Amino acid sequence: ASKKGGKNRFSFFAPSMEESIRQRLQLEKMLQQAVMNREFFLHYQPRVDTASGRIIGLEALLRWTPDGHPPISPDQFVPILEETGGIEEIGEWILETVCRTARAWQQMGLPSVRVWVNISGKQFQDKYLFEKIEKILAVTGLSPRYLGLELTESVLMQDVEVHIAKLKQLKQLGVMISLDDFGTGYSSLSYLKRFPIDEIKIDRSFVNGLLTDENDTAIVRTILAMAQSLGLRVVAEGVETPGQRDFLTEQHCDEMQGYLFSKPVPPNRLSTC
Ligand code: C2E
Ligand code: MG
Ligand code: MG
Ligand code: MG
């Protein structure tokens, strides 16, 4: 708030806030370009079956490295794509790319694994999502049983009845449904029972504190016991240490995912695994 310095007549914001608004606007502009120019690509992170140690699934994760910038995290840019509407276009591109890639792997004779796609709120609210997925599967030739969708609690908690109907439709088609980041949202147990989901994914933040934080350890134990009694599979994300892996194995967690097994990698790195 200085009178000097020419154009800077008066500022309502602290400089840091002004700076962050400027950065946000710049990011929005860059993203608009990125959507138009299809600057995005996908990495895939293995999901490991606890019992056999084999890779039985792959999660597709969106990547963006704008020209002359370091990579920007999807945690940062996906919410902006949601707000500005870009997610609809990119979301469809992601689904189609993942299904086409998975089908190509199968045709190369690689073992068939299920591919998992993260679906954002706006995308799930799309009235035509089911039709779009059905069409993408038909066009790419991927069987629905090799596709899984990862949804977060906050997404499902809005419009519960509509979403239950949509999930049922997808399940009937043969697509698997996962409840991502479990424990960070606010889903009640009664909803959990009503949603036709196949599995829950324990959020990384709890797995991170396994064995070092008593509360996190108790939470993971409880989630596993609850899911098992509801007949749901459980996946742990963010497994980084052998200690965490051993604990989850003892507790009969069905699947694991994390840097201990592999970071997300480009698709060409997977076909040579
Ligand atoms: P998410 O779906 O919960 O994905 C898990 C995140 O944890 C990924 O971050 C992954 O790289 C990271 N991760 C996996 N294992 C470990 C580990 O052992 N340690 C640590 N520290 N991190 C691990 P990423 O790729 O940055 O994605 C962040 C979030 O962005 C995702 O969380 C998801 O919510 C969103 N996202 C990513 N790709 C897409 C996409 O294609 N569509 C939509 N709608 N959202 C996406
Ligand atoms: Mg996910
Ligand atoms: Mg997650
Ligand atoms: Mg997450």
Side-chain angles (χ1 to χ4, degrees):
S2 91
K3 292 187 293 184
K4 290 200 287 183
K7 63 186 171 154
N8 191 13
R9 271 166 309 187
F10 186 80
S11 169
F12 285 104
F13 305 115
S16 63
M17 194 178 208
E18 207 174 273
E19 176 62 15
S20 76
I21 290 170
R22 200 188 57 77
Q23 276 177 4
R24 160 76 193 219
L25 287 173
Q26 200 207 344
L27 193 56
E28 273 181 28
K29 217 168 98 191
M30 281 163 62
L31 267 169
Q32 253 167 20
Q33 293 280 329
V35 171
M36 267 171 27
N37 304 334
R38 292 279 191 278
E39 290 171 27
F40 303 94
F41 54 101
L42 293 159
H43 279 181
Y44 294 83
Q45 187 180 36
R47 278 165 163 249
V48 174
D49 177 50
T50 306
S52 67
R54 298 233 298 264
I55 296 173
I56 56 169
L58 296 166
E59 178 178 6
L61 293 156
L62 193 57
R63 294 290 177 262
W64 181 41
T65 308
D67 249 358
H69 287 261
I72 298 180
S73 155
D75 270 331
Q76 231 185 310
F77 70 78
V78 168
I80 302 177
L81 283 177
E82 282 253 291
E83 277 176 46
T84 56
I87 196 68
E88 293 173 25
E89 204 176 321
I90 292 308
E92 235 177 296
W93 173 83
I94 295 168
L95 275 163
E96 186 166 347
T97 304
V98 170
C99 291
R100 201 177 341 98
T101 305
R103 184 68 190 127
W105 285 328
Q106 291 178 348
Q107 283 172 327
M108 284 165 67
L110 294 165
S112 295
V113 296
R114 186 172 286 122
V115 283
W116 293 88
V117 176
N118 291 287
I119 302 288
S120 70
K122 272 268 174 56
Q123 241 185 314
F124 196 65
Q125 276 158 14
D126 179 354
K127 265 206 304 203
Y128 301 108
L129 180 70
F130 178 81
E131 283 78 8
K132 284 177 182 171
I133 289 177
E134 209 177 22
K135 183 173 162 219
I136 286 169
L137 288 168
V139 166
T140 59
L142 186 73
S143 158
R145 56 191 281 241
Y146 292 116
L147 177 64
L149 305 180
E150 297 192 6
L151 298 148
T152 60
E153 296 167 81
S154 49
V155 167
L156 290 185
M157 284 307 149
Q158 310 157 13
D159 258 335
V160 171
E161 299 308 321
V162 175
H163 286 172
I164 288 176
K166 201 175 273 183
L167 288 175
K168 281 192 175 143
Q169 215 182 2
L170 285 162
K171 295 264 339 144
Q172 253 159 31
L173 186 65
V175 172
M176 298 278 272
I177 307 291
S178 175
L179 193 49
D180 204 353
D181 300 348
F182 188 78
T184 61
Y186 48 90
S187 53
S188 73
L189 292 179
S190 62
Y191 280 135
L192 200 56
K193 208 182 69 181
R194 291 190 57 209
F195 287 130
I197 56 173
D198 298 286
E199 57 157 55
I200 58 180
K201 260 185 124 165
I202 307 178
D203 191 68
R204 196 168 89 212
S205 58
F206 305 118
V207 176
N208 193 43
L210 263 186
L211 306 169
T212 54
D213 182 305
E214 270 176 46
N215 292 330
D216 286 345
T217 310
I219 289 169
V220 170
R221 260 187 221 283
T222 307
I223 293 175
L224 278 159
M226 179 209 63
Q228 282 154 6
S229 63
L230 287 172
L232 296 168
R233 287 175 64 80
V234 185
V235 185
E237 65 176 20
V239 179
E240 292 185 353
T241 70
Q244 292 165 353
R245 177 199 58 204
D246 295 344
F247 178 91
L248 291 160
T249 305
E250 275 162 35
Q251 300 291 317
H252 307 291
C253 181
D254 301 282
E255 270 176 59
M256 293 187 248
Q257 195 179 352
Y259 294 173
L260 178 67
F261 306 101
S262 170
K263 289 199 167 182
V265 293
N268 60 343
R269 288 261 310 276
L270 284 163
S271 48
T272 58
C273 274

